[in-house]
Amino acid sequence: MITFKDVEKYYGQFHALKNINLEIKKGEVVVAIGPSGSGKSTLLRCINALEEISSGELIVNGVHINDPKTNLNDVRKNLGMVFQHFNLYPHKTVLENIILAPMKVLKEPREQAVVTAESLLERVGMLDKKDAYPNQLSGGQQQRIAIARSLAMKPDIMLFDEPTSALDPEMVGEVLDVMKKLAADEGMTMVVVTHEMGFAREVADRVIFMADGQILEDREANAFYENP
Ligand code: ADP
Ligand code: ADP
């Protein structure tokens, strides 16, 4: 579903990704760990074409994203991304935040978008907050809304960039629980940058360890813990 072949990424002179070879299959949950500045965000941002690779090949959902003929909006439509910061629209209610993109981008009629949004809100345990504004919610609640908003676009792949790093510790669990359900119940293909090793242990199929722009380890999750 995601294939990196000999991918290099430079920011100017800075070599941010070095000889990345990675194959992620449908339904796999891959956790990326490693020190700050090792290239984890860059790796995610290449997958949804927020960053352009410098050389090599990157195929996402069957599409060569470095082919100039590729319409990147078509690629991004099938990808959901959740960031450290939730980036909800502050002047829109929870429900309005979720239905906006399906109506605009997928051209869903409002009634249909609302039905989908309400079922997503139910899944993330937030239906009772559908008319609230983001600033009336805790960080953990806002992040669950941000996940629901991504899912409303019916993505094939979900990318998470440190989704719990901005949260108070007591809110981390509720967000991880939503992500666990997504992996277990729906078989969502997920790439997750996180420091939450408990999540990696329980949910990941594979753990990749990055340092200095390279993938130094790529192991089945179980093996990662048995042979550190
Ligand atoms: P991580 O997610 O592992 O913390 P990043 O992928 O964010 O690492 O960054 C990897 C390296 O690339 C860092 O040294 C960072 O400063 C650099 N970098 C990231 N984005 C840019 C950019 N837009 N321009 C220049 N350098 C960047
Ligand atoms: P995160 O830790 O969430 O990756 P960062 O603070 O590293 O966030 O990066 C935030 C933004 O700044 C990103 O868009 C990244 O590409 C950009 N950035 C990071 N490092 C550099 C850098 N050295 N020069 C220019 N832009 C950078």
Side-chain angles (χ1 to χ4, degrees):
M1 194 138 220
I2 304 173
T3 305
F4 284 77
K5 278 189 207 154
D6 303 327
V7 168
E8 310 282 342
K9 167 68 186 171
Y10 288 86
Y11 293 111
Q13 298 287 309
F14 183 78
H15 201 172
L17 292 180
K18 299 173 181 168
N19 189 34
I20 300 295
N21 285 282
L22 182 63
E23 171 90 47
I24 298 174
K25 296 188 189 70
K26 190 171 163 57
E28 257 188 324
V29 177
V30 175
V31 165
I33 61 172
S36 179
S38 58
K40 305 178 303 293
S41 279
T42 300
L43 187 85
L44 284 190
R45 294 163 62 85
C46 286
I47 295 171
N48 68 357
L50 286 173
E51 294 288 354
E52 212 177 324
I53 64 174
S54 305
S55 66
E57 214 170 339
L58 176 51
I59 305 165
V60 178
N61 231 348
V63 180
H64 291 252
I65 70 164
N66 45 325
D67 182 337
K69 292 192 290 286
T70 298
N71 180 347
L72 295 181
N73 286 328
D74 289 342
V75 179
R76 292 195 189 110
K77 245 192 258 177
N78 295 317
L79 294 173
M81 182 134 177
V82 174
F83 299 90
Q84 187 171 347
H85 298 285
F86 333 118
N87 306 317
L88 299 171
Y89 295 106
H91 303 296
K92 293 188 186 297
T93 65
V94 162
L95 190 74
E96 295 289 337
N97 264 282
I98 296 177
I99 66 176
L100 206 66
M103 285 173 59
K104 272 203 174 154
V105 181
L106 303 181
K107 313 287 180 210
E108 278 182 21
R110 187 183 173 89
E111 309 75 65
Q112 187 190 332
V114 168
V115 170
T116 306
E118 288 182 344
S119 85
L120 287 170
L121 283 169
E122 175 118 58
R123 262 161 58 192
V124 301
M126 292 292 297
L127 186 55
D128 58 331
K129 299 287 187 194
K130 67 176 179 166
D131 296 318
Y133 287 88
N135 69 4
Q136 297 171 312
L137 304 175
S138 71
Q141 291 175 325
Q142 290 187 58
Q143 192 61 301
R144 282 145 67 195
I145 301 298
I147 294 171
R149 182 180 56 176
S150 282
L151 293 173
M153 293 295 289
K154 305 177 177 66
D156 296 317
I157 300 168
M158 285 287 288
L159 308 174
F160 293 86
D161 194 353
E162 304 204 14
T164 58
S165 302
L167 301 178
D168 291 334
E170 67 269 25
M171 289 163 194
V172 168
E174 64 191 47
V175 172
L176 294 178
D177 284 345
V178 167
M179 293 168 63
K180 283 178 199 168
K181 265 202 278 177
L182 195 58
D185 302 350
E186 317 205 7
M188 179 66 79
T189 307
M190 293 167 51
V191 187
V192 184
V193 174
T194 184
H195 300 288
E196 294 294 334
M197 296 315 289
F199 176 83
R201 197 175 297 121
E202 283 176 54
V203 184
D205 297 301
R206 276 160 62 203
V207 176
I208 62 175
F209 175 69
M210 294 189 69
D212 192 25
Q214 291 172 291
I215 296 178
L216 292 189
E217 301 270 1
D218 179 348
R219 297 197 194 177
E220 284 185 24
N222 293 336
F224 204 88
Y225 298 103
E226 285 158 12
N227 309 298

